[in-house]
Amino acid sequence: MGGTTTTDTAERATATGDEPYRIARGLAGMPFPDAAHNLQRALAVVPGDVDLNALRLWLALRRHRAGPATIRAVNRMLACVPLLDRPLTAGNAFGVCVEARGAGLQETDPRRYFHYATLAHAAGLAAFHQRFGGALAVEHRGRQYLLQAGDRRVIFNVEGPRLGLHFDFFFVHEPGMWDWFAGFTPDDVLLDVGANVGIYSVAAAGLRGCRVVGLEPFPVNVAAARANVAANRLEALVTILPVAAAARSAHGRLSHDEAVPGVAAQAFHAVDEALPDGKSGLSVAGAAIDDLVASGTIPFPTRIKIDVDGGEGAVVAGMQATLADPRLDSVRLEIRWWEPGKQAVVDGLRRHGFEPQVADDPKNLLFRRRPAAAAR
C-alpha cells in the first residue's frame, strides 16, 4: 500500500506510518467494487488489522442503508479496534455517536481520529434510523451526496476537500441537529442563521417538509446554498437571503479568509469598525431578525438555528421580540458560553422562558421554551 491508493497486501508491511484517512480518500476515488475487492483481499491476509477493519467500515458507509446490519458492522470493527467499553445497540446509538465524536475531537493521532470518526458516523446512522422512524440511507455519487429518510431524499453538492471531509463523516459534525430535526413537521418554519452552503436548510425542507429561510452573507456560500436548493427543486420551500443577522438593520462589512464553498469563520462589522488584522472585507447587508419578521420579509420562525462563529450576541440582540413570542418553539445555538461575555447571551434566552441543554457537545445548546412560559 505504502504511498499508493490501494490496499495491496504485498505493500501492507510498509504502510504502518500512513494516515488511514489519506488511504481512505484514495479508495474513495476508485470504482466502488474495486475498492471493496482490494480491502477484502487485504483482510483475507490480515483479518485482525485495526486500520483495515476501520477502512472496511468507512468504505461500506459510503453506500449504506442503515439498520440492524449497521450495528453488527460496528461491533465487528470494535472487536478489532477497541474504542468502547460496551457494544453498540439500537438503544445507545445516539450516546455512542456523541461519545465517539467527542473522543475523536480530542485525538492528535490521525489513526485514532479516523477510527473514532468512523465509529461516530456509523453510530449516528444507526441512531437516526431509529429517530426518523423509517429507512435511512446514504450514498456518495461522485460529486454528490445522497441522504434518504423514509420516502424523502435530498442530495448535496460536494465541492473541494473541505466539503469532502464533511460528507465523509456526515453524522459526526452535528448529531444533535439531526435529533432536533426529527421532531420537525410541515407546519414548522426554520430560520437558519449562518446557513453556509445550505446543508441544514435543504435537509429540514427536503426531509421534514417544513419551510426554511436561510441567512448567509458570504457570496460564495450563498451561490452554493442556492445551487443545493435548486438541485433538490426546493425553491418553493427554501429561501436563501444574502444577509448577515445583526443587532440592528444596516449595511456593514464582512471579514473573511479564503473564498471557497463551505468556509466559515466570517464576522459582520459596522462600517466604521476596524477589521481584524490580515482579514479581507466586503460590503454586505445586515438585518435584525425582528425587522425581517415585522416587515414580512420572512415568515415567523417556529425554530431557529444560529451558527455565526462568535457573533451570537448581536444576533440575539436583534431578535428580542421574536424570542418573546410563544410561537417560537426552540433555538439551537452554537456558543462557547464559557468565554468572557458569552454567558450573558445564554442568560438572555433564559429570561425569555427558554432552558438550555447540551445537544451534542458543550458549545451546541438547544434551548426549549419552558412549559409555563409557553402557556402565557
Side-chain angles (χ1 to χ4, degrees), residues 131 176-177 179-185 188-193 289 300-306 319 322-334 349 352-357 359 365-370 374:
R131 188 73 174 89
M177 188 82 72
D179 195 49
W180 185 42
F181 278 4
F184 285 20
T185 74
D188 277 309
V189 177
L190 171 66
L191 179 59
D192 185 357
V193 182
I289 290 171
F300 187 87
T302 61
R303 320 264 188 161
I304 300 178
K305 165 203 158 247
I306 303 173
M319 54 184 280
T322 303
L323 286 169
D325 193 311
R327 290 176 293 171
L328 178 59
D329 173 86
S330 51
V331 178
R332 180 180 163 96
L333 174 64
E334 180 178 309
L349 270 78
H352 282 288
F354 290 90
E355 205 55 47
Q357 59 183 161
L365 300 180
L366 180 61
F367 291 81
R368 294 190 183 276
R369 193 178 292 279
R370 291 191 295 271

Side-chain angles (χ1 to χ4, degrees), residues 125-337:
L125 272 168
F128 301 119
H129 170 255
Q130 302 290 326
R131 188 73 174 89
F132 276 78
L136 186 68
V138 295
E139 183 177 347
H140 285 255
R141 293 181 173 179
R143 294 189 177 183
Q144 289 188 324
Y145 186 84
L146 178 146
L147 172 62
Q148 179 170 337
D151 60 354
R152 295 176 178 265
R153 64 171 57 189
V154 289
I155 58 174
F156 304 104
N157 296 310
V158 180
E159 301 179 33
R162 184 183 300 274
L163 288 177
L165 180 62
H166 184 96
F167 287 105
D168 282 342
F169 299 111
F170 194 51
F171 289 101
V172 173
H173 302 285
E174 302 273 2
M177 188 82 72
W178 297 102
D179 195 49
W180 185 42
F181 278 4
F184 285 20
T185 74
D187 292 330
D188 277 309
V189 177
L190 171 66
L191 179 59
D192 185 357
V193 182
N196 201 272
V197 299
I199 292 172
Y200 297 116
S201 293
V202 165
L207 299 181
R208 309 312 291 169
C210 63
R211 294 181 65 189
V212 181
V213 176
L215 304 184
E216 173 54 51
F218 198 38
V220 69
N221 285 341
V222 172
R226 288 175 171 169
N228 277 321
V229 172
N232 289 279
R233 300 179 180 177
L234 288 171
E235 293 91 341
L237 287 178
V238 183
T239 302
I240 304 296
L241 297 179
V243 169
R248 60 187 182 88
S249 298
H251 270 75
R253 290 190 297 169
L254 191 75
S255 61
H256 64 91
D257 293 317
E258 56 184 334
V260 296
V263 71
Q266 300 95 31
F268 182 72
H269 307 268
V271 290
D272 57 353
E273 182 182 346
L275 297 180
D277 290 344
K279 295 280 188 179
S280 300
L282 54 91
S283 177
V284 298
I289 290 171
D290 285 345
D291 291 345
L292 294 174
V293 172
S295 66
T297 303
I298 67 173
F300 187 87
T302 61
R303 320 264 188 161
I304 300 178
K305 165 203 158 247
I306 303 173
D307 183 354
V308 292
D309 296 312
E312 306 85 17
V315 173
V316 171
M319 54 184 280
Q320 293 299 297
T322 303
L323 286 169
D325 193 311
R327 290 176 293 171
L328 178 59
D329 173 86
S330 51
V331 178
R332 180 180 163 96
L333 174 64
E334 180 178 309
I335 184 168
R336 290 171 171 80
W337 47 265

Side-chain angles (χ1 to χ4, degrees), residues 3-16:
T4 69
T5 59
T6 72
T7 55
D8 188 341
T9 55
E11 297 178 322
R12 177 63 195 163
T14 66
T16 55

